[in-house]
Amino acid sequence: MNAALEAAWQDVTQHWDEAPRHDALLGVVAHYSAYAWLAQQYRQRGDDPIAQRQLERIRKAAIATMFATQTHKRQAEKMPFKGSLLVLLLVGILTGVGLIYLHFRQSPVTQTTPP
């Protein structure tokens, strides 16, 4: 792992009962986003009350970091298949224009009157 993390962990283990040391370690871990590593270190301490309290702090800090750095998904379009609908409309218009053209292109039929 990172040398800064290792050094901060060694400092905490040497001064276990000093809360500011744990706070400083959590700051270093937050900088490197190494929450899982730190949780593993505290879990190795077993049922120690300080370790259990720090595990809860790590969990909260990791969740807060996840929420703060999340990316937002693009919102769904208001009108799905908009491109397909435009193509269908264009085909409909061109078909109508083609039918009108064919209707007027035909030669006029002359009516004959019966004798």
Side-chain angles (χ1 to χ4, degrees), residues 60-76:
K60 289 179 181 178
I63 290 171
T65 301
M66 285 177 10
F67 279 119
T69 58
Q70 74 179 354
T71 57
H72 295 283
K73 292 182 179 178
R74 188 175 60 133
Q75 291 183 351

Side-chain angles (χ1 to χ4, degrees), residues 3-83:
L5 292 170
E6 291 288 344
W9 176 250
Q10 289 302 319
D11 186 46
V12 164
T13 57
Q14 292 170 0
H15 304 94
W16 189 252
D17 293 331
E18 297 179 20
R21 308 277 180 154
H22 292 276
D23 296 341
L25 174 61
L26 189 57
V28 173
V29 166
H31 177 74
Y32 291 104
S33 295
Y35 297 106
W37 175 83
L38 184 59
Q40 179 185 13
Q41 302 305 313
Y42 278 116
R43 279 192 202 104
Q44 291 175 355
R45 292 290 184 147
D47 291 334
D48 183 286
I50 294 174
Q52 294 303 314
R53 188 170 47 248
Q54 292 302 321
L55 281 169
E56 182 62 21
R57 288 184 69 202
I58 293 167
R59 183 186 67 79
K60 289 179 181 178
I63 290 171
T65 301
M66 285 177 10
F67 279 119
T69 58
Q70 74 179 354
T71 57
H72 295 283
K73 292 182 179 178
R74 188 175 60 133
Q75 291 183 351
E77 293 182 24
K78 293 181 181 179
M79 189 172 167
F81 305 109
K82 186 177 181 179

